[in-house]
Amino acid sequence: MLTRLSEATRTTSGGKAATLSLLLGHGLAVPHGFVVPSDVRPGRSGDRHALHQAVAAALAQLGDPVVAVRSSALGEDSAEASAAGQYESVIGVHGAEAVCQAIAECRHSARTDRVSRYWARTGGRSPRDSDMAVLVQPVIEAEASGVMFTPHHSGGPIRIESAWGLGLGVVGGAIMPDAYEVAEDGTIDRRVGSKRLRIDLDHVHGGVMTSAVSADKQSSLTLDDDTVAVVAELGQQIAEVCGGPQDIEWAVVGDAVWILQARPITAALPVSPVLDPSVGIDVLRGTPGSHGTVTAAARIVSGPADFAALRRGEIVVCATTDPAWTPLFAVAAGVVTEIGGVLSHAAIVAREYGIPAVLGVDGAVTEIKDGAEIRLNGTAGTITRL
């Protein structure tokens, strides 16, 4: 009923698993695991028992690890649409019973409204849960981890964002990560993020836990130059193997760099900021997240309770987002966040939707008044209060 990750193909195991299988075949450090193919449908009790037995045996072969259970939908992680953060992932799962439950959760996520709205906006076919393969791999307990974008055009820099612990805070936009640009000649430009929180496995209760980062670690870079160079070199190798620019998730443990995911980049990052001609105290600055300029009313969004207040064509201003917020991007004219990096899932979806975004704007929620008219420049990384 199961497929070894090393034998996964896109047809039955989806894009995420197929790409990792390809990278394993080229000798890259990818955690071994297995896939529940899309055509395995444990709808009857006997089939459920058979899946439980198969999962238990596969976990035993891996050494009974704590695992990550992630979607690998057939249309996911393609060159046309990433579906970044749209499907469910369950991290920190142990034992066959819990893994089978997590597999069901991943498959069920194909039926959510946010997935349907994502595919409607990007022009793709909304997959059924029958199109959903599920990937199971041991969790890499990272000292530091994050995301890397290889150059969209020849000669461009490699962009890397990182934080302490697991990379969930980086991809989810919950952490202001360290940021690195590695030029073609190997020159490294660095920016220290705040990194006030970290996410790690919770070995007592299962799943993951969030904890505070000490002041000295907040102000310290998560990667030294040698590690940055190794991560960048791996990015170049992966882009070559995959035949185009890649969005790559990675994790560092000791001297090892593990590759957790790779998918095509669907929309180019803004280049180094183009200075906005506006000057003065009415201009707030952040990180350019998605190209474009728009002038509209700002709508402060603190959580799901505020979603209904957003009117079409307004600019979402928030502390941070998570994947559950992406349906707002189909209504909003732009996005401003106080926290989060340019390589986060929310920023990726903003670029795919073609709406401007500025990230990491310190004090945006308090400095921008609800309903006030603002000009958002996602290419320059500025917000002008009008």
Side-chain angles (χ1 to χ4, degrees):
M1 298 184 80
L2 306 179
T3 300
R4 290 183 181 182
L5 179 57
S6 59
E7 299 170 353
T9 64
R10 184 173 291 271
T11 304
T12 60
S13 298
K16 184 179 296 172
T19 300
L20 290 176
S21 176
L22 174 67
L23 298 180
L24 267 173
H26 280 78
L28 280 92
V30 174
H32 285 275
F34 60 90
V35 182
V36 184
S38 59
D39 57 1
V40 172
R41 307 303 306 156
R44 296 174 299 180
S45 59
D47 292 337
R48 286 196 296 271
H49 182 68
L51 178 61
H52 187 284
Q53 286 187 314
V55 167
L59 291 172
Q61 287 184 337
L62 293 172
D64 194 28
V66 175
V67 298
V69 181
R70 299 187 292 158
S71 67
S72 186
L74 301 191
E76 189 178 6
D77 290 355
S78 71
E80 291 75 34
S82 67
Q86 301 306 299
Y87 298 100
E88 194 66 43
S89 293
V90 188
I91 312 300
V93 188
H94 185 252
E97 186 65 33
V99 170
C100 286
Q101 182 177 339
I103 289 167
E105 288 180 35
C106 287
R107 282 192 155 157
H108 180 73
S109 69
R111 295 181 235 168
T112 60
D113 285 344
R114 82 172 184 230
V115 168
S116 297
R117 291 176 183 175
Y118 173 84
W119 288 109
R121 178 63 184 253
T122 56
R125 182 178 64 85
S126 182
R128 305 179 301 272
D129 55 351
S130 59
D131 296 321
M132 175 76 77
V134 180
L135 171 63
V136 180
Q137 294 172 285
V139 175
I140 300 299
E141 294 200 59
E143 297 161 10
S145 55
V147 184
M148 160 175 48
F149 271 39
T150 64
H152 205 75
H153 301 291
S154 178
I158 291 175
R159 303 281 288 274
I160 299 171
E161 292 184 343
S162 65
W164 301 114
L166 303 180
L168 297 173
V170 178
V171 298
I175 292 171
M176 199 65 203
D178 295 338
Y180 308 82
E181 281 197 3
V182 184
E184 192 174 28
D185 64 2
T187 304
I188 302 171
D189 182 37
R190 314 158 196 80
R191 188 194 70 211
V192 181
S194 56
K195 309 182 300 294
R196 296 187 181 97
L197 302 173
R198 62 179 290 157
I199 299 174
D200 298 280
L201 286 181
D202 186 339
H203 289 286
V204 177
H205 303 100
V208 297
M209 62 180 184
T210 301
S211 59
V213 173
S214 62
D216 61 323
K217 287 238 175 188
Q218 288 182 32
S219 59
S220 300
L221 285 167
T222 44
L223 305 177
D224 59 30
D225 284 0
D226 288 344
T227 306
V228 171
V230 170
V231 171
E233 173 61 28
L234 284 170
Q236 291 173 333
Q237 291 180 33
I238 292 167
E240 190 171 321
V241 167
C242 294
Q246 296 290 301
D247 164 3
I248 300 161
E249 295 180 23
W250 50 269
V252 174
V253 181
D255 294 330
V257 179
W258 292 86
I259 303 303
L260 309 181
Q261 183 170 311
R263 61 183 169 209
I265 294 174
T266 53
L269 293 169
V271 295
S272 297
V274 177
L275 292 180
D276 191 288
S278 302
V279 294
I281 62 171
D282 288 333
V283 177
L284 303 175
R285 296 190 180 275
T287 303
S290 181
H291 291 287
T293 302
V294 64
T295 299
R299 185 61 56 202
I300 307 299
V301 179
S302 300
D306 298 328
F307 286 6
L310 180 70
R311 299 289 180 263
R312 183 171 295 277
E314 293 181 332
I315 297 170
V316 171
V317 179
C318 55
T320 186
T321 68
D322 68 39
W325 291 42
T326 52
L328 295 183
F329 294 6
V331 177
V335 182
V336 177
T337 72
E338 291 186 334
I339 302 170
V342 70
L343 308 187
S344 66
H345 287 157
I348 292 169
V349 173
R351 289 191 290 273
E352 289 181 344
Y353 283 17
I355 61 172
V358 180
L359 314 170
V361 182
D362 191 33
V365 170
T366 54
E367 293 291 333
I368 299 172
K369 294 186 181 302
D370 192 45
E373 190 167 324
I374 61 175
R375 182 168 65 248
L376 169 62
N377 187 328
T379 305
T382 60
I383 300 99
T384 305
R385 293 168 287 187
L386 303 174

